[in-house]
Amino acid sequence: MLSIAAALVMLPPPLPPSSRDVLAAEDTGWREIRQNSLLYMDVNEGTVLIELFGWFAPENTRNIFELVNAGHFDGGTIDRVQENYVVQWSGPEGAPRGNAVDRVPGESVQASEALDPIPLLPFGDVYAPAVGHWASFPVARDGENIWLTHCYGMVGVGRGEDVDGADGSELYVVIGQAPRHLDRNITLVGMVRQGMEHLTSLPRGSGALGFYGGEVEKPAISSIRHGSDVPPDEQIRLEVLDSAAPSWSAWVDARANRKRDGWFTYSHNAVDLCNLPIPVRRIDSED
Amino acid sequence: MLSIAAALVMLPPPLPPSSRDVLAAEDTGWREIRQNSLLYMDVNEGTVLIELFGWFAPENTRNIFELVNAGHFDGGTIDRVQENYVVQWSGPEGAPRGNAVDRVPGESVQASEALDPIPLLPFGDVYAPAVGHWASFPVARDGENIWLTHCYGMVGVGRGEDVDGADGSELYVVIGQAPRHLDRNITLVGMVRQGMEHLTSLPRGSGALGFYGGEVEKPAISSIRHGSDVPPDEQIRLEVLDSAAPSWSAWVDARANRKRDGWFTYSHNAVDLCNLPIPVRRIDSED
């Protein structure tokens, strides 16, 4: 007969958590998104919530807040929906610009020393020596620089030929396969945290680059508001899985090993930077 | 003074071609897509053209052709549109199945010796030891197997828990960031070569996994026809950039170095398997 100690030793080790387990666990770390980092973009289909992350692009982000505060985008339009690429919008003709400036330098990379270390993904990347997450945003870095990456849902500042000539009036969101070739070429400022489906299901534009043709009625934007200016009873409280919490690595590991979720028969033991979902959930109001 | 020979030596080397140059060049290789490899899927918004590639999944592909020949999908519906994931459809209740069988084995990988070599991408991959293209479809392989990969636009055969239990009546197409974790878990049979925008712009389903709720009218499929059965004057002739042609490597190299296209200021000298576009163009009718 086995002693109790030997029997205990023979128990199988606990199974590592599935992605569902991680999301359900009590000790998984979530971070509430601050209202003063949020933009509320109201389109016909609903509200799109964008979290801005000013550290990577402080001047561009400040300029966007100035435009939003001036009501620049209210009454604006979606101008471009390019299949498997981007949705782009702007304010109406002659919209007020408040204290926004007309030329903001490109901020597509930042010196990396200031943000070291980040939680890195251990699976490699085609575009950069290292990738991971900072404040639950996808980032990449090399020995000198760190930058936000063009994953699905990332929001950037349109520019013309001039890298330093963006005035903040044309913003875009990635709606298809991550166009990582745009990394380091154009300034990213944030990510859609809720409401992507209101943008991705819009009709594609028939013109060059997916711009809507002259005769089509462009989808309307009733307003873009700064979360801090939204009345408290209208604010939407969200929390995002926290990439700085110890539980983040369990999330990454679970998504790299999908067999734990059932249905799957093969785990790759890897997940691509832009194929790792960044979970967001609603915080229920207390009243 | 320089001699003529010395002056010639001092000329800069010719610039390598941009992606636009490759597409415009006379000697770039294109392959016409055979009508008997095509499915014409007519939805309200237009026609979706799917090229099937039977080598990777011969039994599943044969079963789909049997269903199509029996008119199985005519009068069917789009049942599921899940944001950043898949669109899935089926025939109407009780649709005829012709000579199709009810259980087809999973064919998510094939022994690789038979398809060696393929034109490989030299930039690495997060999910597989090697990736590249075969017949202008994205593929991956390891030392033993080769498989089609879940890039944007790829078409597969839905299954339940049973890997070998698909009856071909639920087909899906990838509409978001490449869900490469599905590779080797479910059978792929082809790729949308035209008309993705008719599927990606559909409203997202509100139910679990993006299925449409009971009260919503599902988008209609008037018919899915085999290209060989489409009257010649209605056939759409397409050609795809040929991954077996010598010019393919110029395309890959140009897409990995976007500075050649202008606007870009930084080239990554790399491109991800699923971020490499596979160009398709219409062949004009001769009359």
Side-chain angles (χ1 to χ4, degrees), chain A:
Chain A
M1 273 182 70
L2 292 168
S3 70
I4 289 172
L8 285 174
V9 167
M10 292 177 66
L11 286 173
L15 292 174
S18 70
S19 60
R20 276 188 290 265
D21 295 335
V22 175
L23 295 187
E26 290 277 342
D27 59 350
T28 294
W30 297 80
R31 162 176 71 78
E32 180 167 356
I33 300 176
R34 292 174 306 155
Q35 293 294 324
N36 67 8
S37 298
L38 276 179
L39 298 182
Y40 286 61
M41 178 176 173
D42 286 311
V43 295
N44 287 340
E45 293 73 15
T47 300
V48 180
L49 290 177
I50 300 166
E51 184 183 14
L52 297 182
F53 188 24
W55 189 91
F56 281 91
E59 296 200 45
N60 282 274
T61 307
R62 188 182 312 122
N63 220 41
I64 291 169
F65 279 128
E66 294 289 357
L67 290 170
V68 167
N69 292 342
H72 180 86
F73 296 101
D74 302 354
T77 48
I78 311 281
D79 306 315
R80 175 187 184 192
V81 182
Q82 185 171 0
E83 173 60 17
N84 192 15
Y85 201 43
V86 294
V87 168
Q88 186 176 316
W89 62 89
S90 65
E93 278 283 319
R97 294 187 52 86
N99 296 316
V101 300
D102 291 337
R103 265 180 71 83
V104 184
E107 296 172 305
S108 61
V109 298
Q110 290 287 345
S112 70
E113 308 93 83
L115 272 188
D116 193 40
I118 53 172
L120 296 174
L121 290 179
F123 314 117
D125 183 69
V126 168
Y127 291 89
V131 294
H133 293 79
W134 188 265
S136 306
F137 288 89
V139 301
R141 72 170 185 201
D142 57 19
E144 296 171 4
N145 293 298
I146 188 166
W147 57 94
L148 291 168
T149 59
H150 280 80
C151 294
Y152 195 92
M154 291 296 286
V155 175
V157 183
R159 67 165 174 86
E161 293 288 328
D162 182 354
V163 172
D164 297 318
D167 70 358
S169 65
E170 306 271 354
L171 304 180
Y172 68 91
V173 58
V174 170
I175 64 162
Q177 174 67 29
R180 295 280 308 278
H181 49 289
L182 292 174
D183 293 357
R184 308 189 61 151
N185 279 291
I186 187 166
T187 303
L188 290 168
V189 291
M191 190 174 203
V192 172
R193 297 296 195 187
Q194 181 185 292
M196 272 297 283
E197 68 276 18
H198 305 318
L199 301 177
T200 53
S201 60
L202 292 171
R204 275 47 184 162
S206 60
L209 303 177
F211 280 94
Y212 285 111
E215 291 163 30
V216 176
E217 193 171 351
K218 297 177 183 174
I221 298 171
S222 55
S223 66
I224 298 185
R225 292 176 292 171
H226 189 173
S228 303
D229 295 331
V230 173
D233 62 337
E234 293 179 32
Q235 287 178 349
I236 299 169
R237 292 180 59 202
L238 299 178
E239 55 187 9
V240 60
L241 202 73
D242 185 358
S243 62
S247 49
W248 182 260
S249 61
W251 173 247
V252 171
D253 188 59
R255 291 297 302 193
N257 291 281
R258 296 303 306 280
K259 271 181 76 173
R260 298 176 197 160
D261 285 315
W263 188 87
F264 288 85
T265 60
Y266 183 90
S267 283
H268 292 262
N269 193 24
V271 57
D272 187 79
L273 174 67
C274 292
N275 194 29
L276 180 77
I278 302 174
V280 174
R281 64 185 187 184
R282 192 90 175 244
I283 301 176
D284 288 330
S285 172
E286 280 153 33
D287 52 359

Side-chain angles (χ1 to χ4, degrees), chain B residues 179-243:
Chain B
R180 294 280 306 279
H181 49 289
L182 292 174
D183 293 357
R184 307 188 62 149
N185 280 290
I186 189 165
T187 303
L188 290 168
V189 291
M191 191 173 202
V192 172
R193 297 296 195 187
Q194 181 184 291
M196 272 296 283
E197 69 277 15
H198 305 317
L199 301 176
T200 54
S201 60
L202 292 170
R204 274 48 184 162
S206 60
L209 303 177
F211 280 94
Y212 285 111
E215 292 164 29
V216 175
E217 193 172 352
K218 297 176 182 174
I221 298 170
S222 55
S223 67
I224 298 185
R225 292 176 292 172
H226 189 171
S228 302
D229 295 331
V230 173
D233 62 339
E234 293 178 32
Q235 287 178 349
I236 299 169
R237 293 179 59 200
L238 299 178
E239 56 187 8
V240 60
L241 202 71
D242 186 357
S243 62

